Amino acid sequence: MVRVLVIILFLFFIYTKVVFSQDVSKKDLDELISSYVKERSQKGSFFIKDPRSGKDVELIYIGPREIFRHIRNYGYFVDVYFHEKEDHNKKWDIDFWVRNEEGKLVIKDVQVHKVPEKVGGEWFMVTVEPLPWWWQQSSGEHGGEPFARGDWKAWAVKAAIHEYVADKERKDKAFIIKDPTTGEDVRLELVAIHDPVRKFSKKGLYFACADFRPIDGPGDKLYDIDIFMKDEGGKLSVTDVKVHKVPVFQDGRWIKKALFYYKDEDIVELP
């Protein structure tokens, strides 16, 4: 029994060393996130869009979990708890993606991880699908095609796409694309990057589709955008961004209308 206890304590020590012995501390991350939430709160409430409805939800900050995760070369991932202003039992788990850029900690993006759902008269937190790529990294591939040995993993492709989008959103306060049906620039925000991640072997391209919604538009008005990437010197770089589906209001609701489909590695335009 004593030997088992010693082994458990040793493993816990190794685990905490791995988690906390990075170039930043939990205190650094807590202070950054607390400051971020405070700056973006209105009268003490932090607003975030419900990924299911696209509607703003008014939340009260509780605080981060006791541990955070680190993925080498990708940054830090902190689960932060909130509860809804009108009901303390409705708790939200929100992930903060933090990177160290040129010696400065920067929040790259904020994604909803778990939402409140009532089961048997009680509120529980349930996981939002699809999972952010940083959870897929730790739990294996989820729906992505099995790539050949030496290929980029699906989660790494999604990470590169997410960073590209996050940098655009931070720079321009939105992800801006030209709607091919109207010719107008549309200001969008990322909703989710979907599985599977695919590869065009002949062209050496990886791509995934992602849902975006207009920043000031209804929550169910979604664009489906395909983002293509290529390995350039050991780094994934975006080579093309194509609007695959546009939102169309039909029969009292928004649907996504496809503009093209894939035949092998070729794009076939739809009339």
Side-chain angles (χ1 to χ4, degrees):
M1 184 67 183
V2 173
R3 177 181 289 183
V4 172
L5 181 60
V6 169
I7 291 172
I8 291 172
L9 290 172
F10 174 75
L11 291 175
F12 179 76
F13 172 76
I14 294 298
Y15 172 73
T16 54
K17 287 286 285 182
V18 170
V19 173
F20 292 105
S21 63
Q22 312 301 332
D23 58 342
V24 300
S25 67
K26 182 178 184 298
K27 181 181 178 182
D28 295 328
L29 294 171
D30 288 354
E31 289 177 353
L32 175 70
I33 292 168
S34 177
S35 176
Y36 179 93
V37 170
K38 185 176 181 180
E39 288 173 4
R40 286 159 179 76
S41 292
Q42 301 175 26
K43 296 182 179 179
S45 297
F46 182 77
F47 289 84
I48 197 160
K49 280 191 170 64
D50 187 323
R52 302 160 298 181
S53 66
K55 295 180 180 179
D56 284 332
V57 182
E58 193 171 357
L59 302 177
I60 303 299
Y61 178 68
I62 299 174
R65 292 180 61 188
E66 285 303 311
I67 61 173
F68 64 88
R69 294 182 308 118
H70 174 254
I71 302 175
R72 187 179 299 277
N73 299 325
Y74 291 91
Y76 304 86
F77 305 88
V78 187
D79 288 48
V80 181
Y81 292 138
F82 294 78
H83 66 73
E84 292 191 17
K85 183 178 181 181
E86 303 302 327
D87 190 341
H88 290 210
N89 295 313
K90 297 174 72 172
K91 293 183 172 61
W92 290 64
D93 179 350
I94 298 175
D95 288 356
F96 283 70
W97 175 20
V98 181
R99 288 199 71 168
N100 193 328
E101 297 186 348
E102 299 179 352
K104 181 180 179 181
L105 288 178
V106 175
I107 293 178
K108 296 290 289 186
D109 201 12
V110 179
Q111 291 279 319
V112 175
H113 181 198
K114 296 181 180 180
V115 296
E117 186 172 297
K118 205 164 195 177
V119 180
E122 293 185 43
W123 287 102
F124 295 89
M125 289 190 293
V126 297
T127 302
V128 172
E129 295 290 347
L131 279 168
W133 57 267
W134 47 84
W135 286 106
Q136 295 185 2
Q137 188 275 344
S138 62
S139 58
E141 301 302 316
H142 289 252
E145 288 185 343
F147 294 154
R149 187 178 182 87
D151 279 340
W152 288 85
K153 294 291 187 181
W155 69 263
V157 176
K158 294 173 79 171
I161 289 173
H162 194 169
E163 183 161 24
Y164 171 80
V165 171
D167 286 343
K168 292 284 187 182
E169 289 182 333
R170 186 167 60 172
K171 178 184 176 183
D172 301 325
K173 308 301 181 185
F175 187 76
I176 303 172
I177 59 98
K178 188 178 292 293
D179 186 318
T181 60
T182 66
E184 297 178 352
D185 286 341
V186 187
R187 299 176 63 82
L188 305 173
E189 61 184 359
L190 177 66
V191 177
I193 303 170
H194 288 276
D195 295 314
V197 174
R198 300 187 181 275
K199 183 182 181 183
F200 286 164
S201 297
K202 294 177 183 177
K203 299 177 181 179
L205 296 175
Y206 299 88
F207 81 94
C209 68
D211 282 341
F212 291 80
R213 69 166 61 93
I215 286 180
D216 298 321
D220 56 348
K221 182 180 181 180
L222 298 175
Y223 284 81
D224 182 314
I225 297 176
D226 292 353
I227 301 177
F228 295 82
M229 311 205 83
K230 189 172 186 177
D231 186 329
E232 296 181 341
K235 181 180 179 181
L236 287 171
S237 301
V238 172
T239 61
D240 198 8
V241 176
K242 296 189 72 67
V243 179
H244 190 178
K245 299 175 183 177
V246 295
V248 175
F249 197 69
Q250 183 175 302
D251 298 328
R253 64 189 181 95
W254 288 100
I255 63 170
K256 292 188 286 186
K257 178 184 176 182
L259 302 180
F260 61 85
Y261 67 92
Y262 294 99
K263 185 177 181 180
D264 296 324
E265 295 192 9
D266 297 320
I267 290 176
V268 181
E269 304 287 342
L270 289 168

